[in-house]
Amino acid sequence: MVYRELRNAILNGIFTPGQVLRQEEVAQRLGVSRSPLREALPRLEAEGMVVLQPRRGYAVATLDPKEIEEAFDLRRLLESELARHSISRRTPADIARVYAVLSEMANLTTKTSDADVAHWFELNKDFHNALLMPASRPHHMRALDNLRGIIEPYIRTEVRLTGDLHQAQQEHTLLAQAFVNGDADAFVELTCKHSEHTRDRLLRGLTENPAAE
């Protein structure tokens, strides 16, 4: 529970990239004791979400633009491979799940509160999982989930600065349509493009809003 609470706090920007995680303060903010927190931090370190700094303790991981590009290159490779397998194995239940999540996300694209944006991102993860889980590649999915944890705090920061969810939602609609139609080539291409566009928006947002770093 403490692991999930701290992970979500990092993803939602409560603890920002580079911030030192003083255990007493973090425990107080999350309303937990320090003992389970000490167990949760190494787990997050193994996922790359926090780093252990000499004489400073744990801090939220930071990425420079080159590392962000590398992370998205890896994400694109994983997602495109999953997409190839997923579309040939999808079921009517998978299609229904994709559209159900997409519809719920659409209702949030005009909302701007922190809670609504955080909910949209939770649904965003559900949407991509719904598209890719039919591939039945658990090791690929585990690697992808760890990678998302590293870069998502930056993506969420950029969205909070711009408030723009519309382009991502439009791309989700195209992904869903290709998935439903069984158009494998289009689905894989759109999967790659979506990752590239997310990367470009993030890097552009960090350039235009240096304080976000």
Side-chain angles (χ1 to χ4, degrees):
M1 182 193 72
V2 174
Y3 158 79
R4 289 196 302 271
E5 287 287 332
L6 182 52
R7 192 177 195 274
N8 287 334
I10 292 171
L11 289 176
N12 290 316
I14 295 173
F15 302 112
T16 57
Q19 182 175 346
V20 175
L21 298 173
R22 295 179 175 83
Q23 292 188 25
E24 185 173 347
E25 295 176 8
V26 173
Q28 184 177 11
R29 189 158 190 175
L30 297 180
V32 300
S33 68
R34 294 178 63 180
S35 179
L37 180 62
R38 284 194 293 268
E39 296 179 17
L41 285 165
R43 185 174 174 183
L44 290 168
E45 182 187 20
E47 295 180 2
M49 294 190 71
V50 303
V51 294
L52 181 59
Q53 300 175 335
R55 298 183 297 279
R56 297 188 68 196
Y58 287 97
V60 181
T62 59
L63 299 175
D64 63 31
K66 288 184 178 180
E67 289 176 311
I68 289 173
E69 288 187 16
E70 179 188 2
F72 272 97
D73 285 344
L74 182 54
R75 171 181 163 173
R76 187 173 63 249
L77 287 172
L78 288 169
E79 288 185 336
S80 61
E81 180 66 14
L82 285 163
R84 289 189 187 92
H85 292 281
S86 180
I87 196 163
S88 64
R89 299 178 179 180
R90 76 201 192 292
T91 66
D94 295 324
I95 292 172
R97 174 62 177 162
V98 165
Y99 268 125
V101 179
L102 183 68
S103 177
E104 192 173 354
M105 293 177 76
N107 294 330
L108 294 170
T109 54
T110 58
K111 308 284 182 68
T112 57
S113 73
D114 288 345
D116 287 328
V117 172
H119 187 201
W120 187 93
F121 271 107
E122 289 301 319
L123 291 172
N124 181 59
K125 180 180 179 181
D126 292 343
F127 174 76
H128 285 283
N129 283 346
L131 290 174
L132 301 176
M133 285 292 287
S136 297
R137 291 289 192 275
H139 296 295
H140 282 65
M141 289 299 298
R142 191 175 301 113
L144 180 60
D145 190 52
N146 288 345
L147 191 61
R148 286 171 177 164
I150 296 171
I151 59 180
E152 193 147 326
Y154 285 86
I155 298 173
R156 295 192 186 197
T157 296
E158 187 270 330
V159 168
R160 281 195 298 274
L161 289 168
T162 64
D164 185 10
L165 297 172
H166 291 88
Q167 182 179 349
Q169 191 67 16
Q170 289 170 357
E171 292 177 5
H172 289 163
T173 300
L174 294 175
L175 280 165
Q177 290 171 347
F179 185 78
V180 171
N181 293 334
D183 190 338
D185 290 341
F187 184 56
V188 172
E189 181 180 0
L190 288 167
T191 297
C192 292
K193 292 295 184 184
H194 182 57
S195 183
E196 291 168 1
H197 293 165
T198 304
R199 175 202 63 201
D200 293 344
R201 284 195 301 271
L202 171 57
L203 292 174
R204 184 169 59 249
L206 292 176
T207 300
E208 295 171 355
N209 299 277
E213 299 187 39

